[in-house]
Amino acid sequence: MALHETPLPGPGGPAPSAAADGAAAPALDPHDRGRLLAGAHHDPHALLGAHPVPGGVAFRALRPFAREVSVVVDGVRTPLVSEGDGLFSAVLPLDEVPAYTLAVAYGDDEPVETHDPYRFLPALGDFDLHLIREGRHEELWTALGAHPMTHQGVTGTRFTVWAPNALGVRLATDFTYWDGTAFPMRSLGSSGVWELFLPDVGEGTCYKFEIHSRHGHRFLKADPMARRTEAPPNTASVVTASHYRWGDDEWLARRGDVPVHEAPFSVYEVHLPSWRPGLTYRELAEVLPAYVKDMGFTHVELMPVAEHPYGPSWGYQVTGFYAPTARLGTPDDFKYLVDALHRAGIGVIMDWVPAHFPRDDWALARFDGEPLYEPGDSRRADHPDWGTFTFDYARTEVRNFLVANAVYWCQEFHIDGLRVDAVASMLYLDYSREDGGWEPNAYGGREDLAAMAFLQEMNATVYRRCPGVVTIAEESTAWGGVTRPTDTGGLGFGLKWNMGWMHDSLEYVAHEPVHRKYHHHEMTFAMVYAYSENYVLPISHDEVVHGKQALVSKMPGDWWQRRANVRAYLGFMWAHPGKQLLFMGQEFAQGAEWSEKAGPEWWLLDEGYHSAGDHRGVQDLVRDLNAHYRRLPSLWQRDTDPSGFRWVAVDAADDNVFAFLRYDTEGRPLLAVSNFSPVIRHDYRFAVGDDVVAWEEILNTDAARYGGGDVVNPDPVKSEDGHVRLTLPPLATVWLAPTPL
């Protein structure tokens, strides 16, 4: 029976007994003994294990509830003396410390031979500890946490945890019934790291760390570096090792060939647990890549995958920063899904949440009895919006924890991009705080200088270590330089969500057409600042929950008009400078708000549903938008170049008409025209220049196949004196390209 299979009897311990062969070991110092048994000793290896003493070698073991413990040397078993409280010891007349094992018996069971955890040297090297102290360990997950390994010729698991304020740390496991008494860990000096190599323990073992704080409290904590967890509501960490063999070498080799801001980038945002409720990572791998590929999106963006206890948080309150949620399978199962997406030609972006963490008492909050991952000042630690804690970005080890975490997902799980959530809440000391509820920085300003430095370091490190990866900021203010390189003072993100465009454009289309002329600027203003950053245009999950209504339900008018408005809006969006992002369910005009319990309303597309054709029409449009988008470089090649865009009709407010040209790097144009009025406009004249002889309509959101009225321009439209005359369908967007295309 292996050590982790050994059952423990009920409460109570054996009475002291005499050794059969070994002499009694020198008694422990009462103070050391008390600290050891209380779990408050920094160096249990100095008290336990084997040590030279006058007259031989002293052996001491801590085995609570054991009936007897013996030391086995060269096959000879020598009983140890019980000292009470689970301590057993003896001195053997040996010249040096030998190779040995322990034979431990519980209750009426026969003794089981096992290795002594306290005979091993530290399994973590000095260089790792140096990097941890410096806050520069870019592969921190290889040093901290639980790692199955062979150490000094013995297989087992190395457990390490950073808890610098603890008086003592012990390992509690499922096989010790969550009692950490038997396995105190040792402190590795000024690093604040505690370590224990546990022989005979391997993958699948559930564990936590029992922390003894300097205030005298003891509590169990999940491993901050756990790479696998129990499925919620259970909260233990799980020993794991990856055995996955990737098949995406070709994808990784070419993903960085073209800078992301010069490449097509059309994103389908997905909440994995609800996209097809009940499916595991591996089951999702059989259907999600095929659907996304069929719809023509270049990437998926996964709402947070890291472990979180509360499902309705959608993953934005993370407790297991290094563990994919166990709700859907193992870490290797998640790798299988990423691999399947890559083999289908789909990039994978993951929402990443370094802005805050929940207060659950078994997780990061006051981890070692003190503020550790959070600042000590409650004015900075408390996040007023979400009832969570913010991270202490000024602390080197905390910054290292987060920077390494960003690298971890990209390196270990082949993630192609990190969308960083709630960046604005990190950047401003006064974010959502009242006067007097925050303290200015050293220069008297409201900027969080430590958070700025962290974001710069994170971006620089990820781009250096993981070629082809993109970082994306969800930053809702006008902070300058979000996507400017760090060496010129920027934050270093590759892309930024354009929250201003999102709010303005949704506000515009929510108005009745008769009132839209008074809000015309809401559709044109984004071009005033369109090249200040590298932008993504996001119609995300945040816009279709909490009473905001689904995209089609935001629109005015009857059912036909609402769908027409959606189609026109999507046509405008896909042609507008900036990358594209659309949340699941909006691609087929789901009318209800998204629910994490129900997911998208796929039944709307079923043959038997009376309005299935209406929803399929919008779905067909999104598929065609993506297909045209990917084959037309004018729509993405010069997204960050002002010379790639020209207004054709910017002030036609009375008509609710917008028109502009997009150009690729060779000057080939695309003309996009949107009519947000419910009337047909015949013979509408635009000045487009005389570079193009004739234009061909390549997409019309009013086409019958999309559910529209089929008001189209079927024949090539000739340019006369630099002008064209078009028929504009109602509530529609048309795209025209030079003919022949």
Side-chain angles (χ1 to χ4, degrees):
M1 184 182 296
L3 174 64
H4 63 282
E5 296 171 327
T6 303
L8 297 178
S17 63
D21 298 295
L28 290 176
D29 175 84
H31 181 62
D32 279 339
R33 177 189 172 99
R35 291 168 58 209
L36 176 67
L37 294 174
H41 203 288
H42 70 287
D43 190 12
H45 290 69
L47 309 180
L48 302 174
H51 303 276
V53 296
V57 175
F59 296 85
R60 179 170 279 108
L62 178 57
R63 285 292 185 270
F65 308 112
R67 185 182 81 247
E68 63 179 51
V69 179
S70 301
V71 62
V72 183
V73 179
D74 293 332
V76 178
R77 181 179 297 177
T78 303
L80 303 183
V81 177
S82 173
E83 300 177 342
D85 298 314
L87 286 166
F88 296 82
S89 70
V91 174
L92 272 61
L94 302 170
D95 294 333
E96 59 184 14
V97 175
Y100 72 96
T101 57
L102 299 176
V104 185
Y106 294 95
D108 297 329
D109 294 338
E110 290 297 313
V112 175
E113 195 167 331
T114 184
H115 293 280
D116 182 5
Y118 297 93
R119 77 170 181 85
F120 293 92
L121 296 171
L124 189 63
D126 289 339
F127 186 60
D128 284 309
L129 295 173
H130 169 75
L131 292 176
I132 291 170
R133 282 193 298 268
E134 292 289 316
R136 294 286 183 261
H137 204 309
E138 294 177 359
E139 294 186 349
L140 188 65
W141 66 93
T142 65
L144 297 181
H147 289 268
M149 63 191 308
T150 298
H151 180 49
Q152 294 178 217
V154 176
T155 59
T157 297
R158 181 194 70 199
F159 295 89
T160 48
V161 64
W162 179 61
N165 299 307
L167 287 183
V169 180
R170 300 192 289 200
L171 184 69
T173 68
D174 49 0
F175 64 83
T176 65
Y177 301 96
W178 305 110
D179 184 337
T181 305
F183 298 125
M185 304 174 71
R186 64 178 146 206
S187 170
L188 298 180
S190 61
S191 65
V193 174
W194 299 76
E195 181 265 357
L196 180 66
F197 175 74
L198 207 55
D200 306 319
V201 168
E203 294 181 58
T205 300
C206 295
Y207 69 98
K208 286 188 177 183
F209 296 112
E210 184 185 280
I211 307 290
H212 189 115
S213 80
R214 60 187 180 186
H215 305 292
H217 302 128
R218 284 189 297 183
F219 38 84
L220 291 176
K221 289 284 190 176
D223 183 359
M225 301 294 301
R227 290 169 293 133
R228 183 180 174 188
T229 69
E230 290 186 299
N234 296 325
T235 59
S237 305
V238 181
V239 177
T240 191
S242 180
H243 304 282
Y244 190 74
R245 301 184 67 176
W246 289 92
D248 62 350
D249 290 350
E250 182 180 349
W251 170 268
L252 295 181
R254 63 178 177 80
R255 70 177 178 182
D257 288 349
V258 180
V260 66
H261 58 279
E262 298 175 3
F265 193 84
S266 175
V267 183
Y268 184 57
E269 188 186 22
V270 176
H271 179 253
L272 282 179
S274 70
W275 186 73
R276 291 284 190 178
L279 296 190
T280 65
Y281 292 128
R282 288 185 179 265
E283 291 167 339
L284 284 163
E286 302 305 315
V287 289
L288 180 60
Y291 180 77
V292 176
K293 184 175 183 178
D294 174 65
M295 291 300 299
F297 291 97
T298 65
H299 291 72
V300 294
E301 180 175 318
L302 308 179
M303 291 167 67
V305 175
E307 193 60 271
H308 51 283
Y310 184 55
S313 76
W314 312 329
Y316 291 99
Q317 296 198 6
V318 178
T319 50
F321 280 81
Y322 283 78
T325 179
R327 292 170 174 85
L328 306 182
T330 69
D332 277 2
D333 293 338
F334 179 57
K335 290 181 179 181
Y336 182 88
L337 172 59
V338 174
D339 204 357
L341 286 160
H342 283 171
R343 285 185 275 110
I346 307 299
V348 181
I349 300 163
M350 188 187 83
D351 278 10
W352 186 55
V353 192
H356 64 125
F357 59 91
R359 297 170 178 259
D360 299 73
D361 58 9
W362 50 269
L364 292 183
R366 298 184 66 87
F367 184 77
D368 57 7
E370 308 287 340
L372 187 64
Y373 289 89
E374 68 272 34
D377 185 343
S378 62
R379 291 177 299 174
R380 294 188 57 202
D382 296 336
H383 200 298
D385 284 353
W386 302 309
T388 53
F389 282 134
T390 63
F391 281 100
D392 186 356
Y393 305 108
R395 185 158 193 163
T396 57
E397 298 92 342
V398 174
R399 190 184 66 243
N400 191 177
F401 172 82
L402 292 171
V403 171
N405 187 242
V407 174
Y408 170 75
W409 289 104
C410 299
Q411 190 166 306
E412 294 294 316
F413 291 91
H414 294 195
I415 297 298
D416 304 294
L418 297 173
R419 177 266 197 185
V420 184
D421 183 64
V423 171
S425 75
M426 302 165 64
L427 290 174
Y428 295 97
L429 295 167
D430 63 344
Y431 185 88
S432 289
R433 291 176 170 85
E434 302 292 337
D435 291 343
W438 61 283
E439 184 178 5
N441 63 34
Y443 303 100
R446 55 198 285 255
E447 301 82 8
D448 190 325
L449 303 179
M452 290 171 56
F454 155 67
L455 290 171
Q456 291 174 321
E457 180 182 348
M458 181 276 297
N459 281 315
T461 305
V462 166
Y463 279 109
R464 171 170 50 82
R465 292 189 63 105
C466 307
V469 166
V470 61
T471 60
I472 307 167
E474 186 218 14
E475 202 285 308
S476 55
T477 73
W479 184 283
V482 172
T483 59
R484 195 164 64 237
T486 56
D487 58 5
T488 61
L491 294 181
F493 286 94
L495 297 167
K496 172 183 172 176
W497 274 21
N498 194 335
M499 312 292 279
W501 173 88
M502 178 190 70
H503 289 299
D504 287 348
S505 63
L506 289 178
E507 182 75 15
Y508 174 86
V509 293
H511 289 291
E512 292 284 349
V514 69
H515 301 302
R516 285 175 176 168
K517 64 181 179 181
Y518 304 111
H519 301 271
H520 195 77
H521 65 285
E522 291 172 352
M523 291 290 267
T524 61
F525 180 66
M527 289 310 303
V528 174
Y529 60 87
Y531 303 103
S532 61
E533 304 280 3
N534 305 330
Y535 281 117
V536 175
L537 310 181
I539 302 301
S540 73
H541 65 276
D542 273 333
E543 303 314 306
V544 296
V545 293
H546 299 325
K548 294 182 181 179
Q549 300 182 303
L551 183 60
V552 72
S553 298
K554 297 176 188 288
M555 305 299 172
D558 59 22
W559 174 232
W560 190 96
Q561 291 173 324
R562 291 204 300 273
R563 287 183 291 118
N565 273 297
V566 164
R567 295 193 303 266
Y569 180 75
L570 293 175
F572 176 86
M573 171 183 172
W574 251 254
H576 194 283
K579 307 309 181 183
Q580 319 299 326
L581 181 140
L582 190 64
F583 183 58
M584 63 183 195
Q586 310 316 299
E587 79 272 20
F588 56 83
Q590 172 175 316
E593 287 190 334
W594 168 63
S595 161
E596 81 279 353
K597 294 181 180 178
E601 295 181 326
W602 297 108
W603 54 270
L604 295 172
L605 302 170
D606 291 345
E607 288 284 359
Y609 181 61
H610 63 83
S611 295
D614 296 342
H615 296 279
R616 288 181 176 179
V618 176
Q619 187 183 47
D620 288 341
L621 171 65
V622 173
R623 184 184 292 109
D624 288 353
L625 285 171
N626 277 325
H628 287 300
Y629 172 78
R630 295 181 75 153
R631 72 183 182 90
L632 294 170
S634 54
L635 292 177
W636 41 263
Q637 207 167 48
R638 297 169 75 178
D639 268 331
T640 60
D641 179 358
S643 63
F645 175 92
R646 180 167 74 84
W647 280 113
V648 170
V650 67
D651 56 0
D654 288 342
D655 298 333
N656 297 343
V657 169
F658 306 87
F660 52 83
L661 289 162
R662 299 291 308 276
Y663 298 93
D664 64 18
T665 54
E666 296 184 8
R668 288 187 294 257
L670 176 105
L671 175 61
V673 181
S674 296
N675 174 22
F676 283 99
S677 291
V679 296
I680 302 174
R681 300 196 182 279
H682 297 282
D683 210 28
Y684 204 93
R685 189 168 182 262
F686 297 100
V688 295
D690 53 13
D691 295 337
V692 176
V693 175
W695 297 82
E696 177 184 0
E697 185 177 275
I698 61 171
L699 182 135
N700 186 322
T701 67
D702 191 54
R705 67 184 303 260
Y706 305 138
D710 215 29
V711 177
V712 299
N713 295 275
D715 301 317
V717 179
K718 293 184 179 181
S719 177
E720 300 176 0
D721 298 325
H723 292 75
V724 294
R725 296 179 181 274
L726 301 174
T727 296
L728 304 186
L731 299 175
T733 293
V734 296
W735 292 359
L736 300 100
T739 183
L741 181 62

